[in-house]
């Protein structure tokens, strides 16, 4: 449909593959040409078969026209990569090459080198030499070297090498996909939440993004002047009435709104959803209606809606627009999610963006609301927590902005999951909607009314919670907690849920405890969490987040990822190997933000 055609401006970045070779002619180079180029082709096939862009299409790779034996061929490759819009660079070789003559010198493109582990030619020697050159020049690069020796004619990619290649490529593509896009702030600071103080230096220097701003009065203007597709509004409202079931009103009788007011609120929140999407990515239909400027949008890959309180004290809240846009389906069918941060928390929006670009799945936005110890649960309910929840749980709950994918009604191999939109069936989307009720907003919080989604996330999903924080004098830092969603007996969930606002969506989350540092207990995870919000991704993606953070020069101050899964540029080891967390801080400070 037309909206998908407008969704992503320009071409997606490609992965460039640089086959480097020993430049000595009259025997040496000639004997290596086929093997070297075959390495490049094998990696291109690996990437194209396993990685996809956010629209579902396979990732595209570009291979240098020739193997690269010296500076002239390196320059020709760089010229081709620039023409082809390459955003990620991988060098492969089975042999010794001339390091500074063949290396990729582009400072803003993530880069890695795979040195073939074979005894016939010294690929590992080149790998070590060129990585030292990258460190010396301040261009951090990832080193990939297989654990087991391969025969010269072996064209397979070992599992350990494969894992590092894919991890590097996923993170590198995330870096490239963010570059040049926008964070759109709709409104300003919500209720004094520091995360909604949008820091343009962070977005510009660390993510390569620009910042766009609109006042929330723009929503009033567009609604009053009809700057939206009225035909789509009619279609959307009809779909909402059929698919979005309204739940009971929990407000005291004297604060409940009339049926007429609720019906008008539904019309308003649907219009707000259309307007938010159009503000983010534009809508060609608006140009046909005479609004050419508004049709352009802000090229926003992520946005934030302030809402509270200036908007929500008078107008319906933003829970519906946030929840529906953050989901992988609406009245136009199954599609990629739009990322919208509640309360314009741009830092949690950035964490949502990281998780989305690494997984192509929708993200749960939630308050990190309450730590429930096993003893507290047993005292209140008589139930003894077990399984993943045995050490206690975190109550993740926000006012209805979380993606409906977070219900866990999609499945992989019969288990609850959250999937890329191209793998979601119509039946699964319907189940997510069926598992959600739309509760009239708590008018003590939202005087202007509206509706909040209410659902319970199914247990058993591997999940990763992350959050970006800014520290004066230090800059951005990232925290990561891998864990699982958990099921509680119905009476236990009800007893705990009703102690807060039961009209909001709940995820019971049990982080994996390592017995060390911030992960010595579930309580310490809560006690060390850096802000009131977190972004929750499907899957254990902590290692990919760490790789991505190192590319952006953002240190990770808290994580429970096993050391053997962590993959950072080789230069990080030069800052110390005994304390990787401290080395991460020193490396990020030394190299500085990627786009500074």
């Amino acid at each position: 449909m037309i909206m998908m055609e407008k969704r992503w401006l320009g071409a997606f970045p490609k992965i460039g593959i640089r086959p480097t070779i020993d430049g000595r002619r009259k025997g040496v180079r000639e004997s290596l040409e086929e093997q070297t180029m075959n390495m490049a082709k094998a990696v291109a096939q690996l990437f194209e078969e396993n990685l996809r862009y956010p629209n579902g299409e396979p990732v595209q790779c570009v291979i240098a026209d020739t193997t690269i034996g010296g500076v002239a061929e390196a320059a020709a490759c760089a010229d081709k990569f620039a023409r082809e819009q390459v955003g990620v660079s991988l060098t492969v070789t089975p042999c010794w090459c001339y390091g500074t003559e063949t290396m990729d010198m582009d400072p803003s493109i993530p880069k890695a080198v795979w040195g073939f582990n074979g005894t016939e030619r010294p690929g590992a020697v080149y790998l070590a030499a060129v990585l030292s050159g990258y460190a010396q020049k301040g261009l951090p690069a990832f080193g990939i070297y297989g654990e087991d020796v391969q025969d010269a004619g072996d064209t397979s990619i070992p599992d350990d090498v494969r894992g590092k290649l894919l991890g590097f490529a996923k993170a590198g593509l995330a870096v490239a996909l963010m570059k040049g896009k926008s964070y759109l702030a709709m409104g300003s600071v919500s209720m004094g939440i520091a995360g909604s103080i949008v820091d343009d230096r962070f977005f510009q220097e660390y993510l390569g993004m620009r910042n766009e701003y609109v006042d929330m009065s723009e929503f009033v203007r567009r609604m009053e002047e009809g700057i939206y597709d009225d035909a789509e509004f009619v279609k959307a409202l009809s779909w909402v009435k059929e698919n979005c079931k309204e739940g009971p009103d929990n407000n005291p009788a004297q604060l409940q709104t009339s049926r007429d007011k609720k019906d008008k609120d539904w019309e308003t929140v649907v219009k707000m959803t259309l307007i938010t999407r159009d503000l983010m990515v534009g809508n060609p239909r608006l140009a046909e209606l005479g609004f050419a400027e508004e049709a352009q949008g802000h090229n926003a890959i992520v946005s934030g809606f302030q809402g509270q309180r200036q908007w929500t004290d008078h107008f319906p809240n933003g829970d519906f627009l946030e929840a529906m846009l953050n989901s992988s389906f609406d009245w136009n069918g199954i599609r990629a999610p739009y990322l919208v941060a509640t309360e314009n928390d741009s830092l949690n929006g950035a964490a949502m963006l990281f998780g989305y670009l690494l997984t192509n799945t929708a993200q749960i936005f939630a308050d990190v609301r309450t730590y429930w110890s096993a003893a507290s649960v047993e005292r209140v309910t008589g139930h003894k927590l077990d399984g993943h929840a045995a050490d206690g749980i975190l109550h993740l709950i926000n006012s209805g902005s979380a993606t409906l994918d977070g219900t866990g009604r999609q499945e992989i191999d019969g288990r609850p999951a959250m999937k890329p939109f191209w793998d979601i069936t119509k039946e699964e989307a319907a189940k997510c909607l069926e598992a959600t009720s739309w509760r009239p907003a708590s008018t003590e919080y939202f005087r202007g009314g509206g509706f909040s989604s209410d659902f319970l996330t199914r247990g058993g999903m591997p999940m990763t919670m992350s959050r970006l924080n800014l520290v004066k004098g230090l800059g951005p830092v990232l925290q990561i907690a891998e864990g699982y969603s958990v099921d509680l007996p119905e009476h236990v969930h009800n007893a705990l849920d009703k102690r807060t606002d039961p009209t909001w969506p709940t995820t019971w989350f049990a982080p994996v405890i390592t017995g060390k540092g911030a992960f010595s207990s579930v309580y310490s995870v809560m006690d060390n969490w850096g802000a009131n919000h977190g972004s929750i991704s499907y899957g254990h993606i902590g290692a990919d987040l760490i790789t991505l953070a190192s590319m952006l020069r953002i240190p990770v101050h808290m994580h429970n990822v096993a050391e053997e899964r962590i993959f950072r540029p080789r230069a990080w080891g030069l800052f110390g190997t005994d304390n990787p967390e401290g080395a991460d801080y020193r490396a990020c400070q030394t190299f500085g933000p990627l786009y500074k």
Side-chain angles (χ1 to χ4, degrees):
M1 61 170 293
I2 195 167
M3 284 306 304
M4 287 304 296
E5 294 173 3
K6 181 69 176 175
R7 181 67 180 276
W8 303 93
L9 292 178
F12 285 119
K14 300 172 185 175
I15 301 176
I17 303 176
R18 309 172 70 256
T20 57
I21 198 167
D22 191 323
R24 286 172 285 203
R25 301 278 185 175
K26 299 184 178 180
V28 176
R29 177 166 180 162
E30 290 82 354
S31 69
L32 294 163
E33 288 281 5
E34 184 176 1
Q35 182 185 4
T36 304
M37 191 58 79
N38 282 342
M39 281 184 71
K41 292 176 180 177
V43 174
Q45 183 178 357
L46 173 72
F47 290 157
E48 290 167 354
E49 290 179 351
N50 290 276
L51 300 176
R52 296 202 196 187
Y53 292 121
N55 68 350
E57 294 177 357
V59 162
Q60 295 184 33
C61 295
V62 176
I63 301 175
D65 291 335
T66 67
T67 54
I68 300 168
V71 67
E73 289 161 325
C77 175
D79 182 59
K80 179 177 183 179
F81 283 8
R83 292 195 313 270
E84 295 284 346
Q85 297 181 288
V86 165
V88 186
S89 169
L90 173 70
T91 299
V92 301
T93 189
C95 61
W96 168 256
C97 315
Y98 302 154
T100 58
E101 295 183 24
T102 59
M103 66 194 299
D104 178 358
M105 294 288 289
D106 190 320
S108 65
I109 293 181
K111 48 186 61 61
V113 183
W114 174 25
F116 185 80
N117 185 1
T119 58
E120 289 81 2
R121 300 284 184 176
V125 179
Y126 168 72
L127 178 64
V130 78
L131 289 174
S132 74
Y134 277 122
Q136 187 170 327
K137 293 178 179 294
L139 302 172
F142 291 78
I144 300 172
Y145 180 61
E147 183 174 349
D148 296 319
V149 173
Q150 293 180 259
D151 298 331
D154 188 351
T155 59
S156 67
I157 301 177
D159 287 343
D160 60 334
V161 172
R162 172 190 172 95
K164 289 182 177 180
L165 287 170
L166 290 173
F168 163 76
K170 279 192 290 185
L173 282 170
V175 171
L177 286 162
M178 285 186 280
K179 186 176 182 181
K181 300 296 192 300
S182 304
Y183 176 88
L184 173 63
M186 296 173 288
S188 184
V189 179
S190 173
M191 302 184 297
I193 295 173
S196 57
I197 302 172
V198 181
D199 189 312
D200 61 332
R201 176 179 173 271
F202 161 70
F203 280 95
Q204 177 183 328
E205 295 185 0
Y206 284 88
L207 308 186
M209 292 173 58
R210 71 171 71 220
N211 296 96
E212 293 283 285
Y213 309 85
V214 297
D215 188 87
M216 286 185 295
S217 63
E218 178 67 4
F219 284 82
V220 180
R221 183 181 80 92
R222 292 196 180 205
M223 284 190 287
E224 291 186 351
E225 297 183 20
I227 308 176
Y228 56 88
D229 184 346
D230 188 62
E232 186 180 1
F233 166 68
V234 171
K235 173 185 178 182
L237 187 61
S238 175
W239 180 90
V240 166
K241 289 178 178 179
E242 183 177 346
N243 293 278
C244 297
K245 59 184 180 183
E246 189 176 310
D249 191 336
N250 273 40
N251 289 291
Q254 70 275 16
L255 295 179
Q256 293 186 10
T257 58
S258 67
R259 183 67 256 167
D260 183 61
K261 172 66 164 62
K262 287 183 172 70
D263 290 341
K264 285 184 168 57
D265 282 356
W266 275 118
E267 294 180 10
T268 301
V269 299
V270 170
K271 290 177 183 177
M272 289 165 60
T273 307
L274 297 176
I275 290 168
T276 298
R277 183 203 62 199
D278 293 350
L279 283 166
M280 288 181 67
V281 302
N283 185 348
R285 176 63 181 147
L286 299 184
E288 298 172 8
L289 297 172
F291 303 106
E293 182 181 358
E294 291 85 349
Q296 295 299 307
H298 292 267
N299 193 30
I301 196 171
V302 59
S303 68
F305 182 76
Q306 176 193 338
Q308 297 186 80
R309 284 187 39 209
Q310 288 78 4
W311 179 267
T312 58
D313 277 5
H314 184 66
F315 293 102
N317 65 15
D319 289 3
F320 180 80
L321 79 85
E322 292 163 359
M324 287 311 308
L325 290 176
N326 280 328
S327 300
S328 301
F329 43 82
D330 61 17
W331 43 88
N332 288 318
I334 297 171
R335 43 88 177 140
Y338 299 83
L339 303 181
V340 186
T342 300
E343 293 155 347
N344 195 29
D345 185 349
S346 61
L347 297 180
N348 212 55
M352 293 171 71
L353 180 58
F354 293 173
Y356 169 62
L357 292 177
L358 289 171
T359 64
N360 286 318
T361 59
Q363 305 293 297
I364 298 174
F365 184 110
D367 278 354
V368 185
R369 180 64 66 101
T370 308
Y371 159 66
W372 279 97
S373 67
S376 294
V377 172
E378 190 168 8
R379 176 182 63 81
V380 171
T381 69
H383 176 72
K384 187 176 180 63
L385 295 175
D386 56 13
H388 291 304
D391 295 318
I393 51 178
L394 300 181
H395 193 178
L396 308 181
I397 179 173
N398 195 268
S399 64
S401 58
T403 172
L404 271 59
D405 299 58
T407 58
R409 265 59 182 183
Q410 302 160 24
E411 292 187 349
I412 297 176
D413 297 328
R415 300 180 64 84
M418 296 166 63
K419 302 193 292 191
F421 78 90
W422 54 82
D423 286 333
I424 299 172
T425 66
K426 291 181 179 179
E427 292 74 19
E428 288 174 324
K431 288 179 181 178
C432 293
L433 288 161
E434 179 61 29
T436 305
S437 67
W438 296 91
R439 308 290 292 273
S442 171
T443 51
E444 291 179 344
Y445 282 100
F446 305 113
R447 299 173 188 172
F451 299 91
S452 297
S453 66
D454 180 25
F455 62 76
L456 175 61
T457 299
R458 290 175 69 190
M461 289 196 289
M463 306 187 99
T464 303
M465 184 167 71
S466 64
R467 166 73 192 188
L468 193 78
N469 297 291
L470 289 179
V471 182
K472 186 175 176 61
L474 173 62
V477 291
L478 184 67
Q479 56 189 154
I480 300 164
E482 293 185 338
Y484 295 88
S485 63
V486 297
D487 289 320
L488 298 179
E490 185 176 4
H491 75 280
V492 177
H493 163 74
N494 289 336
L496 304 185
D497 197 47
K498 288 179 180 177
R499 292 172 72 103
T500 182
D501 194 317
T503 68
W504 297 343
T506 280
T507 302
W508 298 109
F509 178 68
V512 173
I513 301 307
T514 65
K516 298 187 296 183
F519 291 89
S520 59
S521 68
V522 177
Y523 169 78
S524 63
V525 175
M526 179 76 177
D527 197 38
N528 282 279
W529 203 250
N532 53 310
H533 293 150
S535 174
I536 299 89
S537 303
Y538 174 76
H540 286 165
I541 64 165
D544 290 333
L545 283 167
I546 290 172
T547 298
L548 173 58
S550 68
M551 291 179 179
L552 300 170
R553 322 288 197 258
I554 297 174
V556 178
H557 70 93
M558 169 180 163
H559 72 81
N560 57 350
V561 179
E563 187 174 340
E564 61 270 17
R565 293 172 55 208
I566 296 174
F567 189 37
R568 290 185 170 115
R570 182 67 63 84
W572 264 234
L574 302 178
F575 291 86
T577 57
D578 186 56
N579 180 2
E581 184 176 288
D584 184 29
Y585 272 79
R586 291 188 291 274
C588 290
Q589 182 179 36
T590 299
F591 292 117
L594 185 58
Y595 302 104
K596 188 173 181 180

